[in-house]
Amino acid sequence: MEKEKEGMTAYINSPVGILEITASDRGISSLYFMEGTFPTGKAAGMTKECLDQLKEYFEGKRQLFSLDLDLEGTEFQKKVWKELLNIPFGETISYLELSRRLGDVRAIRAVGNANGKNPVSIIVPCHRVIGSGGKLVGYGGGLWRKRWLLEFERSFVQKDLFST
């Protein structure tokens, strides 16, 4: 019941399934895909703000999240996760490019491993990292969710290109 404290855990039924959001006193600490039935619970504080921003994202009204994050991991993992936040909505980069941005192309496997351990899916957009040649590889929520998220984001970017 510790994490289930009032408002510290919340759920949203999204187009890619049920998402479980947890928060600490410092920020959002995880956002994971869940299988099964939609749990009930009342969101408050940071989880309520996260739910609101996720709803806006899935409605196509939000491209950037403005939430405090409380990510637990190694310094290297945190460095990778911070760099993921620089990938624009609707765009993708390769694991090699991510390694290059972090200053060491030889660290591609370590970068891929850190990307896969991202505890805050969607908000820290690990789904925007793809394999060389545009191949969809590795996503903890399943490749179908990665494909859905990328196509969803691209559909809004393409609409923006032709807006007046």
Side-chain angles (χ1 to χ4, degrees), residues 17-33:
I18 300 166
L19 303 173
E20 179 187 64
I21 304 156
T22 56
S24 71
D25 294 331
R26 294 179 301 278
I28 302 300
S29 54
S30 70
L31 189 152
Y32 289 115
F33 299 101

Side-chain angles (χ1 to χ4, degrees), residues 73-81:
T74 67
E75 288 308 310
F76 180 76
Q77 287 171 332
K78 290 177 185 178
K79 184 177 173 184
V80 171
W81 300 335

Side-chain angles (χ1 to χ4, degrees), residues 31-103:
L31 189 152
Y32 289 115
F33 299 101
M34 294 186 58
E35 303 298 331
T37 59
F38 186 81
T40 58
K42 185 164 174 76
M46 284 186 234
T47 58
K48 171 80 169 85
E49 181 62 27
C50 186
L51 280 175
D52 292 344
Q53 289 189 29
L54 283 167
K55 286 177 186 174
E56 292 171 357
Y57 170 83
F58 286 116
E59 291 169 354
K61 298 175 183 173
R62 174 175 293 276
Q63 295 184 358
L64 287 172
F65 293 93
S66 58
L67 298 163
D68 291 329
L69 301 175
D70 182 20
L71 306 177
E72 289 189 24
T74 67
E75 288 308 310
F76 180 76
Q77 287 171 332
K78 290 177 185 178
K79 184 177 173 184
V80 171
W81 300 335
K82 184 176 180 184
E83 188 60 37
L84 292 174
L85 295 169
N86 294 322
I87 306 170
F89 179 91
E91 295 184 21
T92 58
I93 65 169
S94 68
Y95 288 96
L96 181 60
E97 175 60 23
L98 183 56
S99 300
R100 188 175 289 123
R101 289 181 182 188
L102 292 164

Side-chain angles (χ1 to χ4, degrees), residues 8 12 34 51 67 90 94 137 150 163:
M8 298 303 274
I12 181 173
M34 294 186 58
L51 280 175
L67 298 163
S94 68
V137 293
L150 292 174
S163 302

